[in-house]
Amino acid sequence: MGEMIKVIGVIGGGQMGSGIAQLGIVHGFHVYLLDNDPAALGKALHLISSSIQRLVSKGNLSQAERDEAMRRLRCTSSLDELRSCDFVVEAIVESEDVKKKLFSDLDGILKAPAILASNTSSISITRLASATRRPGQVVGMHFMNPPPVMKLVEIIRGADTSDETFSATKALAERFRKTVICSNDYSGFIVNRILMPMINEAFYTLYTGVATKEDIDTGMKLGTNHPMGPLELADFIGLDVCLSIMRVLQDGLGDAKYAPCPLLVQYVDAGRLGRKRGIGVYDYRKTPELVKP
Ligand code: 3HC
């Protein structure tokens, strides 16, 4: 099935969706990128086009290959256009109800063998699959942000995900030149199960006055060779996303150690969501190049 995938649908034109669409067209697939909001699609197209142009300026892609890749991309706001897709991956808002409704709609539109994947960071694949009549063909395909750069894809097997679906998804991720890890379907999977408590602990370290934000980040950057400190990374991911994943861990695993730090909750309540809002743990309003589109 992996080699049979030729047409991919990507739903959601945000950072993750546009990054996944970029991977698809650069690696030879036809991609439909869907978003209900035409402005979001316009932004996504701009992001993809400038990111691919960078590959050309670095000599990783010829101008002709770039043009070919861009021709393989179709932007749309109509779910019906995804009919011909062999594989659809969604990267929309982290809401179980919204994702379930989307999966149920897609189930009625896609051809029988098509696979439905979710880029969810922590929502149960088994529960998403229950909204379809093809639970064996539902899988988690969790890209890391930014998808074109990060080397990992985490594949999550729901309770009913078939071996064929897993193998096809793995083959696709490998066509994108990613290394694959496999997780069973428990809250937070592998990466966020470990990463988010670390970020939450960094908030507690700040909240309890152990150290400044700068020293916490420098400690983890230089002390453990992370590319970003945990607070800087939280701003990069989005504090609302971090908080919602902590709540999924707390609900799903039922251990008090997953309680979100009150400071993280307060920042989110105040609208300090990180780079996308210009302010999170750090203030980016004087460095607009760091504010995410
Ligand atoms: N799209 C495409 N390429 C991008 C990009 C994007 N959005 N952002 C950066 N790049 C490329 C740049 O073009 C550059 O390429 P080059 O080296 O070939 O010129 C390269 O990445 C490095 O970028 P920069 O020089 O601008 O900046 P840095 O060296 O500081 O790297 C970073 C930026 C790659 C984001 C790095 O800081 C990093 O790895 N940070 C940690 C990111 C991380 O941990 N992500 C995972 C978060 S967890 C997650 O996603 C799970 C979710 O469920 C929460």
Side-chain angles (χ1 to χ4, degrees), residues 15-16 19 22 47 51 54-55 58 60 119-122 142-150 154 191-192 195-196 226-228 232-233 236-237 241-242 245 275:
Q15 281 268 323
M16 298 305 288
Q22 176 184 328
L47 264 180
S51 182
R54 241 183 101 76
L55 297 177
K58 286 190 295 192
N60 294 342
N119 178 55
T120 180
S121 47
S122 58
H142 184 209
F143 289 82
M144 306 296 127
N145 189 16
V149 179
M150 302 299 287
E154 181 175 37
V191 171
N192 283 327
L195 175 65
M196 289 304 157
H226 291 189
M228 288 174 166
E232 191 191 352
L233 181 58
F236 180 75
I237 293 168
V241 176
C242 296
I245 298 172
R275 285 203 201 180

Side-chain angles (χ1 to χ4, degrees), residues 166-231:
F166 173 76
S167 304
T169 309
K170 181 168 183 281
L172 181 63
E174 287 169 351
R175 287 277 307 272
F176 292 167
R177 310 231 172 92
K178 302 297 182 192
T179 297
V180 166
I181 57 172
C182 176
S183 173
N184 286 318
D185 190 19
Y186 294 103
S187 304
F189 317 134
I190 300 171
V191 171
N192 283 327
R193 169 85 176 252
I194 298 168
L195 175 65
M196 289 304 157
M198 183 191 76
I199 287 177
N200 198 45
E201 201 57 36
F203 273 94
Y204 270 115
T205 310
L206 182 63
Y207 176 62
T208 53
V210 174
T212 62
K213 51 184 182 286
E214 291 83 3
D215 279 0
I216 293 166
D217 276 343
T218 303
M220 294 307 287
K221 255 195 316 205
L222 303 187
T224 63
N225 253 0
H226 291 189
M228 288 174 166
L231 299 169

Side-chain angles (χ1 to χ4, degrees), residues 59-71:
N60 294 342
L61 213 63
S62 71
Q63 191 64 40
E65 286 167 331
R66 179 233 174 245
D67 296 346
E68 278 278 296
M70 288 309 290
R71 272 198 291 276

